[in-house]
Amino acid sequence: MRTLIGVITGTRRDKYEDQIAWIRPLAEATNDSWEAVLAPQSEFPSRGSIFWPRASGAKENALVRFHAKENDVKNGGPDEYMAVDSQLAFEALDLRWVGDCEQVRLALTHGIELPHLVSPKYMIRCGGDLVVGPVGLVSENTGKVVLEKNNRARISCYQLGDDAFLGIAFDDETRTILARSLPPTPHSYVDWDDDKPVMRRAIEAAARLKANGTNLPRQVLEDATVQLTQYGAGASARLEFYRLNRAKQLAADTQQVISLAEEIFRGLRNHPSVLQEAQNFYEGQRGEIRARIESEHESEQAAVTKLREERHEAEEALASAKRQLEETEASHQKQVSGIEAALLSRIDQVLGNVPTLLADVALLRPFLKGRSSPQPRVTWAPEWPVTKVKIAEIKELRSRMIPALRALGVATTSYQPIHAAFASGFVPVVSGARALEALEAYAHVMCGGRQVLVEVTSAIADVQDLFGKLEHGTFVPHPAGLLDIIRAAREHEGPFLVVLDGINRGPTESYLLPLLRLVRNHKASIPLFHPGAIDSTDPYQSEARLQWPTNLLLAATVIEGPTTLPVAPDVWKDGILAIADADGEFTERTELGDSSEVDGSSGLLDVAPARDQLEWMSEGLPQLHGNAKRLAGALAAVISDQSAQQTAITKSIVVPYLSSLTNDDERAAEITRLEKTLNDELGEWVSLARRSIA
């Protein structure tokens, strides 16, 4: 197939509500070089354009890198070629005229004049052949372009010369893109965040190096910079070095202001008029202070006298109360002696006349039956709404899912790996800007809107923490009510979606892996507490050992942030990675409409693995071949194009596997080896995935 670069000339929706686009070819790869396509009408008849189906994220005038093959549908239409393996190209903005990396950051922070933006992400060329990106740029109301506010703390940097870029001529202008894929690992990172968070991160890094707390002077920043310079040339070390240099500059500006203040004070303090004013101020203050002290002394003396009087009165009252207590104790002792004597007399009387005792008991029994018993604990019974609309075919699923995704601003293809995961027995781990919205849309269409969100925090250490905890002999359920939902699922039919939001906030190896084993084997169970730890009348006593119901679906999300933890590699034995990007045409959220749910007899959530051997996987990564066949069987129901299926399997199974490799050299070698057979964008996919799962 021919490798080309082109520009998107138009987009629209097809009859299935999928986005489609047309690409005008501009340049073709030939013998390790690029040549302009001079006669597109003759090379790609009949309109000189190439049809791009399922053009998710396509935007008019954006550049795209793709392969061209003859159109599968021969209907005599105007487009004889179609685009496959299409990827939006990162455009490069040449800002070397601004200066080095730091000068470019300052310029983009305050805003600069740039041409109209058409690409979602850009690579920024700075002085010294340093390329920063990809970064997002936005246009302000003033017409100036500034940095996007999100994800600026760790931006990749690459050392690239002029030969790494390609100029594409279009409409009397030349636009620059990368001539080939980015290196698998960046040369370094930069932190283009605001000064305050950068200073905080630099101080934290210096504190780790100096083991000296976080309240550090400028000299400690200097020492930490020298120590970090001796560590080597790793990309992460360069990021800490960059932050420390920015922090040193901020600290230097502060010291300059302090030194100027001291110099001005030394120049004025010996001036005669200043000395006279200072003396007058001193005399006035001394008089005011003396008068205030005398007034306060008099008040304190009066207060002390009053306290002495109150103390004397309290001592007298205490003595009187002590006498009364002694008299009361003597009276009580006398009463107790009388009661004991009466009790002994009554016992002797009862033992001497048993029939009379039985008659008394029979007389009192009706009154004893009326005494109330302790109130039992009240448990929560979650609502289980039932919908009349049942989904039994993939066509019905697609027709209801796509409008729901659009209403929430989610890319319409995001549901495909999520549904394939559920249908093949995997747990979908969703990342991206619209992860929660994608799962909300899936629950609305397939689960009748039945969904619960469990926020994972750093306090979650064991799997039992997700369900509740034992306090003073009483089981206290988790606020999300997950245990009550499991109890309700046993009594109802139809699926219910449980979403663990932000699983990388906690240690997944200790709390998530046991849960995944429980979900995979519905006959297995986990202990929540010892059966004898709570009273037998407690409604949760029967949940001492917990099993996961078959109609309860489990999904998870991952987030990006400085406090997250790496996802345990074993998670990907029972989970797959799904990306939920935002719909580029989304403006605001709209109503979802009536909900629906899957027909339990349809088999939509129980698909057999693929029968055929996946040679591209069995040869490249045989250890992942079994999981790939499981997922391929379910993907075939929602994705008809085999090339698109391979791309989906690569992103869902291969990318998280490579992202979990901790050795940088081993990971880079594997990416280089697999890019030849899987996809030349593999390195870029792994770099994006590592932001949230590594």
Side-chain angles (χ1 to χ4, degrees):
M1 291 187 290
R2 304 169 68 177
T3 302
L4 298 149
I5 293 176
V7 63
I8 298 175
T9 57
T11 65
R12 68 176 179 85
R13 301 283 179 178
D14 63 7
K15 62 181 180 180
Y16 300 109
E17 295 299 321
D18 289 330
Q19 188 174 24
I20 59 176
W22 285 266
I23 306 172
R24 174 182 172 184
L26 301 177
E28 180 179 6
T30 56
N31 299 327
D32 296 330
S33 64
W34 293 89
E35 295 184 2
V37 178
L38 301 178
Q41 287 81 3
S42 60
E43 294 189 43
F44 303 95
S46 62
R47 298 188 301 187
S49 62
I50 297 172
F51 175 62
W52 182 12
R54 300 183 185 88
S56 177
K59 186 177 181 181
E60 191 168 348
N61 290 327
L63 296 177
V64 62
R65 189 193 305 266
F66 63 98
H67 293 106
K69 73 169 187 177
E70 293 188 5
N71 204 328
D72 295 335
V73 181
K74 305 295 184 180
N75 57 4
D79 302 311
E80 296 186 7
Y81 285 82
M82 65 184 296
V84 297
D85 301 330
S86 306
Q87 296 290 334
L88 293 175
F90 287 141
E91 290 197 49
L93 291 179
D94 192 353
L95 299 183
R96 291 178 294 178
W97 55 272
V98 176
D100 59 17
C101 174
E102 183 62 14
Q103 291 170 322
V104 169
R105 180 192 69 82
L106 291 173
L108 289 176
T109 299
H110 295 91
I112 59 176
E113 300 286 347
L114 286 177
H116 180 64
L117 301 177
V118 296
S119 179
K121 298 285 185 178
Y122 286 90
M123 306 298 294
I124 309 297
R125 299 188 67 183
C126 307
D129 287 338
L130 192 65
V131 180
V132 179
V135 299
L137 300 177
V138 294
S139 297
E140 293 187 322
N141 296 332
T142 60
K144 291 186 176 182
V145 173
V146 297
L147 284 170
E148 191 178 34
K149 296 297 183 183
N150 298 325
N151 302 322
R152 295 182 298 170
R154 185 183 174 94
I155 307 176
S156 300
C157 295
Y158 303 88
Q159 203 74 42
L160 302 175
D162 291 336
D163 59 344
F165 299 92
L166 175 67
I168 301 295
F170 176 66
D171 284 352
D172 299 328
E173 67 172 344
T174 299
R175 295 159 67 178
T176 304
I177 65 171
L178 292 171
R180 48 189 171 271
S181 300
L182 288 170
T185 56
H187 172 265
S188 62
Y189 299 95
V190 294
D191 190 340
W192 279 8
D193 213 336
D194 296 334
D195 289 341
K196 184 176 180 180
V198 170
M199 174 65 86
R200 175 179 55 79
R201 296 183 192 114
I203 290 176
E204 290 172 352
R208 290 193 299 270
L209 292 172
K210 299 294 290 183
N212 213 11
T214 57
N215 187 17
L216 301 172
R218 183 170 178 265
Q219 183 58 42
V220 175
L221 293 175
E222 294 280 1
D223 296 343
T225 305
V226 174
Q227 186 173 352
L228 188 60
T229 305
Q230 298 172 356
Y231 279 0
S236 298
R238 292 193 183 96
L239 173 61
E240 302 295 352
F241 186 75
Y242 173 86
R243 288 172 175 160
L244 286 169
N245 277 331
R246 276 189 62 184
K248 283 167 52 182
Q249 184 61 43
L250 293 172
D253 293 342
T254 303
Q255 294 297 327
Q256 184 178 1
V257 172
I258 294 173
S259 63
L260 286 174
E262 292 177 351
E263 183 178 348
I264 293 171
F265 178 73
R266 285 195 301 268
L268 291 176
R269 67 181 181 182
N270 293 326
H271 195 279
S273 59
V274 174
L275 290 174
Q276 182 62 42
E277 288 296 328
Q279 183 65 27
N280 294 340
F281 177 77
Y282 169 73
E283 294 294 340
Q285 289 295 310
R286 185 173 64 178
E288 292 179 3
I289 292 172
R290 181 172 182 176
R292 190 184 310 120
I293 290 174
E294 291 176 350
S295 175
E296 292 176 355
H297 179 69
E298 292 178 358
S299 300
E300 290 175 356
Q301 285 287 85
V304 169
T305 301
K306 184 177 180 181
L307 286 174
R308 288 174 178 170
E309 295 175 352
E310 292 176 353
R311 177 183 176 183
H312 180 69
E313 294 175 357
E315 288 176 347
E316 291 182 349
L318 180 61
S320 175
K322 187 175 181 180
R323 288 192 299 271
Q324 293 178 3
L325 179 61
E326 291 174 351
E327 294 173 356
T328 302
E329 288 180 350
S331 175
H332 286 173
Q333 185 64 34
K334 184 177 181 180
Q335 292 177 4
V336 169
S337 299
I339 292 172
E340 288 179 350
L343 181 61
L344 291 174
S345 175
R346 178 59 175 165
I347 292 174
D348 292 339
Q349 181 182 359
V350 168
L351 294 177
N353 193 354
V354 175
T356 303
L357 173 64
L358 295 177
D360 292 341
V361 171
L363 181 64
L364 294 175
R365 181 175 297 171
F367 300 99
L368 295 175
K369 289 183 179 180
R371 297 183 64 183
S372 60
S373 59
Q375 293 294 326
R377 289 183 63 190
V378 179
T379 60
W380 174 53
E383 295 183 3
W384 197 281
V386 179
T387 178
K388 297 181 179 179
V389 181
K390 305 292 183 180
I391 296 178
E393 297 181 358
I394 287 293
K395 183 178 180 181
E396 296 175 309
L397 167 64
R398 183 184 295 110
S399 65
R400 296 186 68 87
M401 187 68 71
I402 291 176
L405 292 169
R406 286 202 179 124
L408 300 179
V410 187
T412 54
T413 57
S414 299
Y415 80 95
Q416 295 170 346
I418 296 175
H419 175 73
F422 288 131
S424 54
F426 287 107
V427 173
V429 180
V430 189
S431 69
R434 289 289 188 272
L436 289 177
E437 288 81 359
L439 292 172
E440 179 184 353
Y442 191 86
H444 179 79
V445 174
M446 293 291 285
C447 303
R450 299 183 290 268
Q451 176 192 12
V452 64
L453 187 68
V454 181
E455 293 283 352
V456 177
T457 67
S458 58
I460 301 294
D462 300 309
V463 65
Q464 289 82 4
D465 294 336
L466 294 171
F467 301 96
K469 56 185 177 179
L470 202 62
E471 291 185 356
H472 308 296
T474 301
F475 184 76
V476 180
H478 188 279
L482 179 56
L483 183 57
D484 294 298
I485 290 172
I486 290 177
R487 290 159 61 92
R490 299 178 187 139
E491 308 297 329
H492 295 82
E493 296 181 353
F496 197 112
L497 180 60
V498 176
V499 180
L500 301 181
D501 183 31
I503 60 172
N504 52 343
R505 295 192 189 101
T508 51
E509 63 275 6
S510 62
Y511 83 87
L512 184 59
L513 291 181
L515 182 61
L516 293 181
R517 289 192 290 268
L518 183 69
V519 173
R520 182 181 62 222
N521 183 4
H522 293 287
K523 294 183 179 180
S525 63
I526 59 172
L528 293 188
F529 49 83
H530 191 278
I534 63 177
D535 190 83
S536 59
T537 61
D538 193 297
Y540 293 107
Q541 202 273 343
S542 60
E543 308 298 337
R545 297 196 66 87
L546 183 71
Q547 289 183 310
W548 190 267
T550 57
N551 59 338
L552 215 55
L553 304 180
L554 178 66
T557 68
V558 288
I559 61 172
E560 296 183 22
T563 61
T564 57
L565 300 174
V567 177
D570 285 346
V571 168
W572 307 115
K573 294 180 181 179
D574 298 300
I576 62 105
L577 181 65
I579 310 298
D581 290 325
D583 186 353
E585 300 180 2
F586 178 70
T587 55
E588 62 180 2
R589 178 174 176 143
T590 57
E591 293 294 330
L592 288 175
D594 295 335
S595 61
S596 57
E597 64 178 280
V598 63
D599 190 336
S601 61
S602 65
L604 283 179
L605 293 178
D606 187 14
V607 179
R611 296 181 179 179
D612 298 333
Q613 186 85 356
L614 304 179
E615 296 181 358
W616 59 274
M617 178 64 77
S618 62
E619 295 175 359
L621 289 169
Q623 66 271 33
L624 302 181
H625 186 241
N627 282 0
K629 288 186 65 176
R630 286 173 57 190
L631 188 64
L635 281 173
V638 292
I639 303 177
S640 58
D641 183 71
Q642 292 185 354
S643 176
Q645 291 179 21
Q646 179 175 335
T647 299
I649 294 173
T650 301
K651 290 183 176 181
S652 298
I653 294 179
V654 179
V655 167
Y657 164 75
L658 295 176
S659 300
S660 299
L661 296 178
T662 56
N663 186 283
D664 292 343
D665 295 335
E666 179 185 358
R667 184 172 62 255
E670 282 289 275
I671 291 173
T672 303
R673 178 177 70 86
L674 294 173
E675 278 183 336
K676 300 176 182 178
T677 57
L678 298 185
N679 195 297
D680 56 4
E681 302 291 336
L682 182 60
E684 180 181 339
W685 295 343
V686 172
S687 297
L688 292 174
R690 282 181 58 82
R691 295 181 181 179
S692 57
I693 68 176

